[in-house]
Amino acid sequence: MPDSPKTIRRGDYAPPAFLIDTVDLDFALDPMATIVRSRLAFRRNPAAAADAPLRLDGEGLTLLEARLDGEALPESRRQLGADGSLTITDAPDAGILETSVRIAPERNTALSGLYTSGGNFYTQCEAEGFRRITFFPDRPDVMSRYSVTITADRARVPVLLSNGNPDGSGDAGEGRHWARWVDPHPKPSYLFALVAGDLVNVPDSFTTRSGRKVALNIWVRRGDETRCGHAMDSLIRSMKWDEEVFGLEYDLDVFNIAAVSDFNMGAMENKGLNVFNTKYVLASPETATDGDWQGIETVIAHEYFHNWTGNRVTCRDWFQLSLKEGLTVFRDQEFTADQGSRAVKRIRDVRGLRAAQFPEDAGPMAHPVRPDSYIEIDNFYTPTVYQKGAEVVRLLHTRIGPVAFRRGMDLYISRNDNQAVTIEDFVGAMQDASGTDLTPFMRWYDQAGTPELTVEDSYDPATRRYTLTLRQRTPPTPGQVEKQPLPIPVAMGLLDDTGAALPTRLAGENAAQPGTRVLLLDGAVQDFVFEDVPAPPVPSLLRGFSAPVRLKGVPQERLRFLAVHDSDPFVRWDSGQQYAAAFMLEQVARVQRGEAPGFAPALADAVANTLASADADPAFAAEALVLPGEGFLADQMEVADPEAIHQVRRHLRRQIGTHCGAALLATYQALTETGPYRIDGRSIGRRSLRNACLAYLAAAGEDGVALAAAQYRAATNMTDQLAALALLADAETPAREAGLAEFHAKWRGDDLVLDKWFSIQAMSSRPGTIAAVRALYAHPDFDLKNPNRARALIGAFASGNPLHFHDSSGEGYRFLADAVIALDPINGQTAARLIGPLGLWRRQWVERGALMRRELQRVLDTPNLSKGSFEKASKALQ
Ligand code: ARG
Ligand code: ZN
């Protein structure tokens, strides 16, 4: 890196020097030479310094012409900066700036700005892609009204879309045509979108509760029309839910969704024209797993909900990203919870948080939900900003209750509509609506790291008093050594020795309360004294996972008790997981001492109990059956041991599969589908339970593997087919090669399914997997330029295969670094995102850590590294 890239700091925020009231854009589309003409009505911002110049961001633009108030701007009054920006000297306080630039969408492999995919045109502007389309103050606190005219070849580009409502179209001569779009709502540039090409639409409509009819369209490649039903259904349910639960109605005449197979992220909430990764739109029973169906519902809802939390009320600057992302994830989580099983949704979300956010918070990239600084903002679309941000919103919801929370949302939106605001504005609205002082809660946004919550308790039979002592501590994170105590809402209850709920009365209260109550721990340590407790109780803590903390030190016998008796399904599930995790970690220690791992009959009992009552809630049973994952266990260890962890987990799976073989087989057989494929919650739950049983049976030996092979052949849906193939991919059986070859031959024409074929092999635990992954990298169907494919192989290997990624030869690390170095010049954003697993070197043995550092250094030494990859690699090495 010649010059170290610049660090942007939250404290340096200054309002924009100029505001742009209206933007008129004119695109003459051509893959290699698109001309973008822009007309900006600017005026000096009264809130900013009076002498600041008019500066417009730009990146890789070829400036053809610039005019100020109708006159050509002489070169002496316009400066092109080394960073690509354009500065106008002596700009008047208000005026019209017209520019004309040339860009080459076909050459844009970064997939930021305007690019082509399969011959069609798409844009991605968040966070800073708009500056790759035209000169503009590309920051979210500049909100403008846009009108857009698009001209293109009629035969090759029949569909022309942008934000807002359609406003005319026609013939442009010479085989070209045009269309015009007007968006009545002011918006920041990151919400601009253009989609154009040979697309077909799946239409529907929605009538809002005030009676306005909205035209809905999903735009896809010809042939994909039959796979949009679930996305459309999810959209309509989301629109209805937001009206019912938050009173929020859609505000344009049309809502368009376009699906594209080359996309850096999941999807994008551009006003009136969402752009989606095809992965989150297209589904049929034959091609999509149940997980894919659920992902579609979640992402469709998420992007739709952004229309109010993100678009109508947006972020002042990118440090406030969680203002829209944390809140919108919270909203999509609530939506899904209302559609099916709230408990199962919560379990899955917490599993995800622990798998991705906890390690991030304990590693070199740890940052607060509201970061203090960044080099490349694209690196901060993280589990911390999204998932932990949602947890913090949930914590406020728990603290003030649902009624005050809804009032707070109304207040937040009415106060801040059409403005770019900060997290203080959100918390302030919640505070004013609830009459509760929420200032201490701001610390959740500004302090990184996962708090550890520990419990001690004592019972005094003489006074019938029970004292619960809660203690918190947050470990230091890079750049934040000293930590303050956080306000932690602890939803809890007490159980008697039969497992029945005890009413609770805290000292000073007049009457006992039934059911769950919320304690607020706001100091480093605090005693909660309960009166009239007849006998020593068992506390059930953190019901529903009421705060994103690590609850530590609950004795094994209490975990076993809670796993069976607690009224809260989350605590039941989690206690089972924590019990198993503690046992597994003991076995890891044994393996490290050279002893054989043991077996706990209690684990087999738990599986037997789960199977016996599985019919009541198969989805919950499936969650309870799965042992804590290798990553979760590694995250519990100061220094991880991926081989020992893998060995222990494999051993226990085999033991459970053997001990409980008959019950597992009986459940498996009882769940065999007979009717047509359905995707309601119960059917999904039945399939996941059945496949969880199959996994244990396959772990137990040949009969189970044969059962997997039979399921693979008989499967009529992708969920069952893929679950079976994943088991075969891990096994030593001729059915393995046959299955993989057959799957490839059958699906090689389908990108999204072929991604699964790559991932399954990348995550295999078989010996020789690294060589197999290298061979797949050279496979004719591998395409580094396609982010889904790159993630399906490289990401799945590095994040989903700890055993082989951490191979002591260092070959796994070398593969990842090679891939990052190859991808970085093509697509720096996706390359930077793949670096993460190398950053956790401090949690590995010294020898491994050294190998990981060597590869990080090799990435860092690469000439012309993108600033995103520079930031990830350099922070990881610190
Ligand atoms: N706002 C989008 C979403 O959460 C994500 C866009 C991220 N884009 C990026 N370049 N990092 O739905
Ligand atoms: Zn989002």
Side-chain angles (χ1 to χ4, degrees), residues 112 124-128 190 263-269 299 302-303 306 321 324-325 328-329 377-381 386 829 833:
S112 162
Q124 170 57 36
C125 292
E126 187 177 3
E128 297 179 336
Y190 82 86
F263 201 71
N264 280 334
M265 308 280 291
M268 181 62 213
E269 69 265 23
V299 180
H302 179 94
E303 307 309 333
H306 268 316
L321 183 58
K324 72 178 178 82
E325 296 304 347
T328 304
V329 171
I377 186 57
D378 289 338
N379 282 337
F380 286 80
Y381 287 73
Y386 277 66
Q829 192 182 132
R833 288 192 151 257

Side-chain angles (χ1 to χ4, degrees), residues 626-875:
V626 179
L627 289 173
E630 295 179 22
F632 178 79
L633 296 169
D635 187 47
Q636 312 289 303
M637 298 174 73
E638 199 73 37
V639 175
D641 186 339
E643 282 156 25
I645 290 173
H646 181 80
Q647 195 186 325
V648 164
R649 195 163 186 277
R650 189 189 195 97
H651 164 80
L652 290 182
R653 286 159 50 75
R654 190 180 312 123
Q655 293 283 329
I656 291 172
T658 308
H659 278 79
C660 305
L664 288 161
L665 186 61
T667 305
Y668 178 82
Q669 282 164 345
L671 289 168
T672 302
E673 296 284 333
T674 45
Y677 178 83
R678 298 175 49 186
I679 52 141
D680 56 281
R682 184 153 179 99
S683 306
I684 292 175
R686 287 166 58 94
R687 279 189 291 274
S688 53
L689 178 58
R690 184 166 182 262
N691 286 317
C693 292
L694 181 64
Y696 278 117
L697 293 165
E702 276 171 30
D703 292 354
V705 174
L707 204 57
Q711 173 169 317
Y712 176 76
R713 286 190 302 270
T716 56
N717 63 74
M718 184 51 73
T719 304
D720 290 337
Q721 187 171 33
L722 200 72
L725 188 61
L727 296 173
L728 296 179
D730 254 7
E732 303 303 329
T733 159
R736 177 181 196 278
E737 296 314 316
L740 286 168
E742 193 263 353
F743 193 89
H744 178 263
K746 183 164 176 195
W747 296 114
R748 70 171 305 175
D750 189 310
D751 296 347
L752 295 173
V753 182
L754 208 55
D755 288 340
K756 302 175 192 304
W757 182 80
F758 277 95
S759 289
I760 274 194
Q761 297 176 76
M763 295 194 296
S764 170
S765 62
R766 286 176 84 233
T769 290
I770 301 179
V773 166
R774 287 242 182 225
L776 286 167
Y777 187 87
H779 192 281
D781 290 326
F782 183 71
D783 179 7
L784 193 57
K785 288 200 179 73
N786 177 261
N788 284 357
R789 190 59 49 86
R791 287 186 285 255
L793 180 64
I794 307 159
F797 172 71
S799 309
N801 197 340
L803 176 69
H804 289 301
F805 175 63
H806 292 291
D807 188 271
S808 55
S809 65
E811 276 303 300
Y813 308 144
R814 209 154 69 93
F815 168 72
L816 177 57
D818 285 346
V820 166
I821 290 168
L823 180 55
D824 191 68
I826 298 169
N827 183 338
Q829 192 182 132
T830 294
R833 288 192 151 257
L834 291 171
I835 294 173
L838 279 175
L840 298 179
W841 58 269
R842 278 176 215 276
R843 311 280 300 274
Q844 297 293 332
W845 290 334
V846 192
E847 298 82 356
R848 281 207 184 100
L851 293 169
M852 294 170 88
R853 289 177 57 94
R854 197 177 70 189
E855 297 306 327
L856 282 167
Q857 192 62 52
R858 196 156 65 84
V859 170
L860 202 55
D861 292 342
T862 305
N864 302 316
L865 195 65
S866 69
K867 63 180 180 160
S869 293
F870 170 84
E871 177 173 42
K872 288 294 262 308
S874 59
K875 287 187 174 170

Side-chain angles (χ1 to χ4, degrees), residues 2 61 67-68 117 135 257 275 284 379 419 482 565 669 685-686 702 735 769 850:
L61 305 172
R67 301 174 81 83
L68 182 61
S117 168
F135 287 107
I257 289 176
V275 177
S284 69
N379 282 337
Q419 293 183 62
E482 297 295 328
H565 295 293
Q669 282 164 345
R686 287 166 58 94
E702 276 171 30
T769 290

